[in-house]
Amino acid sequence: TARLTTLVNAAYGHVDQWVIAKSYLCPEASECNTTCAGKWYLQPFMMGLTAKALIRDWDVTSDSRCLTNVTALCDWIWANTMQSGNSPWYENCADTPANPLWLQGTGAAPDLALLVAPMFAWVALRTGNITYRDRGDTIWAYGVPNAYLGTGQNAKQWDQNYLWSFEYVTWW
């Protein structure tokens, strides 16, 4: 539908703002932490959710932009957000994208690792490049045993870990 096309194009615009043009600034403190208002701001788990949506669209449309954009997300996450090679951080910001080492570290987010790992397996499957599989394995191997899997108020971590982790196994 026309609405779906609009939303897919917006998602590709997000990828561009995050890791290609690197132009996304947090508009105000209510949309990110107060330290990041007006700064270049990213959340790797949102990149994973966006990749999931774009891959689902690709399943139907074979949109040629998908592989390039999801690969760009994987490359950026691996190069800039990994904590000791195990898991991306939760969120962070910088004065400019020229300094991706950021103003403040939020530490590894194992509860969100499995929102990111599947896109690495998808890129590996589509390109035949096992580097993406190996990087996904690193994230997966950290996220599986270290994620919080409690219930109750923190049940969202359970949902995050299993949202599309089975696709990781399938694509691997």
Side-chain angles (χ1 to χ4, degrees):
T1 67
R3 177 84 171 130
L4 179 59
T5 300
T6 299
L7 295 171
V8 169
N9 288 336
Y12 283 115
H14 292 150
V15 175
D16 180 63
Q17 289 178 22
W18 292 332
V19 301
I20 298 169
K22 299 177 182 167
S23 61
Y24 180 74
L25 301 177
C26 178
E28 56 188 55
S30 65
E31 294 187 34
C32 58
N33 74 51
T34 56
T35 307
C36 294
K39 296 180 177 18
W40 188 46
Y41 177 74
L42 295 173
Q43 295 175 304
F45 77 91
M46 289 301 294
M47 294 176 184
L49 292 171
T50 300
K52 181 183 188 304
L54 292 176
I55 291 168
R56 291 289 176 261
D57 179 69
W58 181 88
D59 288 340
V60 175
T61 66
S62 299
D63 190 320
S64 62
R65 300 174 292 176
C66 189
L67 182 58
T68 302
N69 279 263
V70 174
T71 301
L73 290 172
C74 289
D75 290 343
W76 195 91
I77 285 171
W78 188 261
N80 296 289
T81 76
M82 298 303 290
Q83 300 293 318
S84 304
N86 295 322
S87 177
W89 35 254
Y90 175 73
E91 70 176 349
N92 221 324
C93 60
D95 290 326
T96 71
N99 180 17
L101 297 176
W102 309 94
L103 298 172
Q104 59 182 14
T106 56
D111 296 324
L112 301 171
L114 299 186
L115 286 177
V116 174
M119 67 177 152
F120 283 85
W122 186 82
V123 170
L125 178 65
R126 298 286 167 247
T127 65
N129 185 337
I130 63 168
T131 298
Y132 292 98
R133 183 202 64 201
D134 294 346
R135 289 175 177 174
D137 284 352
T138 297
I139 297 167
W140 177 270
Y142 184 74
V144 169
N146 292 300
Y148 174 79
L149 298 177
T151 58
Q153 289 183 326
N154 295 320
K156 78 173 196 167
Q157 285 89 346
W158 176 271
D159 294 342
Q160 291 164 344
N161 279 288
Y162 294 103
L163 178 67
W164 70 317
S165 59
F166 295 104
E167 283 91 332
Y168 179 84
V169 175
T170 299
W171 294 328
W172 196 99

